[in-house]
Amino acid sequence: MRCHYFEANRCRSCTLIETPYSTQLHDKTEYCRELLPQVPKWLPAFTGGDRAFRNRVKLVVGGSASEVTLGILGPDRQGIDLRECAIQAPEIAEVIPAIADFLESTGLEPYDVPARRGELKFVHITVAPEVDGVSSLMVRFVVRTEHALGVIRAALSRLRAAVPSAAVISVNLLPEHKAVLEGEREEMLLGSSLPMRLGFESQPLTLHLMPQSFFQTNTAVARELYSQVSAWAADIQPSSLWDLYCGVGGFALHCAAAMSDKAFAAQPSEKSANGVRVLGVELSEAAIDSAKRSARDAGLNAKFVAADATEYALSAQPGSLPEMLVVNPPRRGIGAELASWIETSGIATVVYSSCNPESLARDLAVMPSYVVREGRVFDMFPHTSHLEVAVLLQRRA
């Protein structure tokens, strides 16, 4: 894929963009094969395409109050405009000029990183899958002070007219000068959560994404990843399932829906000890609130708890453990403590979804009681070396 930003050396984020896409997929699969030689069967790698795939962008606000840039910071710490980036979803690309015009109309100064002054830091935009041909957006502004919050709040009607597809609008306050993308405080100006409609044809499932909740950046690949893991669960039909690091409940809810489709709900005698068939654990209370809402809306038998995944597992009573466990940790992996607990837990089946095959390989080395049945590569991040990989593990007899 050609990119004039890359060719002009203005943005080098897509480090592999000059490599043919088929070669990228082949190399990622081979990398996983070499790093994880214990996987006996690799399912075909999945891709949603090499362009227009990003459902979320985090744009640095640069330039001046009268001529903002929305993109990244260059080596000189000045803004580089990337509104024509080819990997962002078209619905996002369509509204960036309108958002830039709106910001210019406010008169707020972009944040000057070297000088440590200014107001506007970032704009985060997320697009939800179409429902009845209509897309909806979440638009978040990250600013430095209460003054900027007040200016944007006062101009809300103008912003809504400029971006009518925005279902959620918020302002995040980040007063400190530090290398993070958002602060702790979020002020809602419109709506509360973005409905991400996924699920299956027989049972559509909507995940409610709140401003500070995590969701995969590639909707097509996320759909297939959830579909693959839930297909494994439906085939195995465990009597109980835990989803650790569950986020807004993607794996837990899709597994519950898939197992329900295979008469999962018709076997009440096989419920776990506390009466809950599917349990999700996530540290973020906002994400757990979203997952609970999604479960209620879908009528699914799932429970969600706000807790640290490792602490929750280690404090669980032996008789309450599930037959199947799904883990989807950050890049660092689950770590030796949780991996050691899984090794001695007696849990029959584990699905490990990882965005870092190296930490996955380290964690699997701590769990020799499990044999890998199959794995699959998901190209969540085309034109980079990053990927998602999921493996199905079963305890040795």
Side-chain angles (χ1 to χ4, degrees):
M1 186 172 78
R2 299 289 297 275
C3 172
H4 64 87
Y5 296 119
F6 188 92
E7 292 171 352
N9 204 34
R10 293 181 62 76
C11 175
R12 310 293 285 191
S13 298
C14 294
T15 54
L16 301 179
I17 201 167
E18 293 182 318
T19 302
Y21 189 53
S22 59
T23 302
Q24 292 182 38
L25 285 176
H26 175 269
D27 291 348
K28 289 182 179 183
T29 301
E30 289 304 304
Y31 171 61
C32 288
R33 287 179 184 273
E34 293 173 6
L35 198 60
L36 302 165
Q38 66 269 55
V39 180
K41 177 183 178 182
W42 286 97
L43 301 173
F46 181 83
T47 173
D50 67 341
R51 63 195 68 210
F53 57 83
R54 282 198 69 103
N55 60 29
R56 183 175 74 243
V57 296
K58 301 174 181 179
L59 304 168
V60 177
V61 185
S64 64
S66 60
E67 192 172 354
V68 303
T69 61
L70 292 175
I72 60 173
L73 290 181
D76 59 357
R77 313 306 290 166
Q78 300 302 310
I80 296 175
D81 197 272
L82 296 179
R83 64 185 69 189
E84 296 177 3
C85 174
I87 67 171
Q88 60 198 8
E91 298 89 346
I92 293 176
E94 182 180 348
V95 302
I96 290 178
I99 292 175
D101 290 344
F102 167 76
L103 292 177
E104 290 168 1
S105 75
T106 67
L108 294 170
E109 288 285 344
Y111 186 69
D112 186 319
V113 174
R116 301 193 178 192
R117 65 170 180 263
E119 295 287 355
L120 302 169
K121 292 189 172 184
F122 303 99
V123 177
H124 300 187
I125 310 172
T126 305
V127 60
E130 288 187 357
V131 177
D132 298 328
V134 178
S135 297
S136 55
L137 301 174
M138 178 188 295
V139 181
R140 303 174 62 210
F141 300 93
V142 181
V143 303
R144 187 172 66 91
T145 68
E146 293 274 356
H147 169 69
L149 166 61
V151 170
I152 295 174
R153 179 184 280 124
L156 180 60
S157 60
R158 193 164 71 247
L159 175 59
R160 293 185 65 181
V163 189
S165 56
V168 180
I169 299 174
S170 66
V171 177
N172 180 278
L173 274 84
L174 178 59
E176 301 89 355
H177 177 84
K178 56 185 180 181
V180 295
L181 292 170
E182 60 186 28
E184 294 183 1
R185 179 180 164 196
E186 193 89 17
E187 291 288 330
M188 303 304 302
L189 303 186
L190 175 67
S192 60
S193 64
L194 186 68
M196 307 291 287
R197 188 172 184 182
L198 303 172
F200 315 103
E201 289 186 8
S202 61
Q203 187 170 9
L205 179 63
T206 298
L207 304 181
H208 297 279
L209 187 63
M210 299 179 74
Q212 293 180 297
S213 298
F214 169 79
F215 187 76
Q216 302 285 5
T217 60
N218 189 320
T219 302
V221 179
R223 266 201 182 100
E224 187 66 17
L225 177 60
Y226 292 147
S227 178
Q228 179 63 70
V229 173
S230 59
W232 282 332
D235 287 342
I236 293 167
Q237 284 291 310
S239 63
S240 55
L241 179 149
W242 286 7
D243 175 10
L244 301 184
Y245 308 95
C246 72
V248 295
F251 285 115
L253 293 167
H254 280 80
C255 287
M259 290 188 287
S260 177
D261 280 350
K262 286 202 171 185
F264 180 65
Q267 302 170 20
S269 62
E270 295 182 7
K271 291 184 179 180
S272 58
N274 60 2
V276 176
R277 302 298 300 276
V278 174
L279 171 71
V281 180
E282 167 62 44
L283 189 60
S284 166
E285 292 188 6
I288 289 299
D289 288 342
S290 296
K292 289 178 178 178
R293 178 181 174 185
S294 298
R296 287 194 303 269
D297 290 352
L300 293 170
N301 181 22
K303 177 182 177 180
F304 293 91
V305 176
D308 176 83
T310 299
E311 291 178 2
Y312 187 89
L314 268 59
S315 65
Q317 296 299 313
S320 68
L321 301 187
E323 285 190 9
M324 183 171 180
L325 178 68
V326 178
V327 293
N328 181 34
R331 287 190 59 79
R332 65 178 182 273
I334 61 175
E337 188 175 24
L338 183 54
S340 297
W341 176 85
I342 294 172
E343 168 66 13
T344 60
S345 67
I347 293 172
T349 305
V350 177
V351 172
Y352 193 137
S353 178
S354 170
C355 61
N356 183 359
E358 293 183 3
S359 61
L360 169 60
R362 287 196 301 270
D363 291 337
L364 292 184
V366 185
M367 298 187 288
S369 293
Y370 289 88
V371 59
V372 184
R373 295 303 182 192
E374 52 188 23
R376 193 175 187 189
V377 171
F378 300 83
D379 195 18
M380 194 77 71
F381 316 99
H383 311 306
T384 75
S385 59
H386 300 296
L387 57 91
E388 192 85 16
V389 58
V391 292
L392 173 65
L393 313 172
Q394 290 186 319
R395 185 169 286 274
R396 298 178 191 275

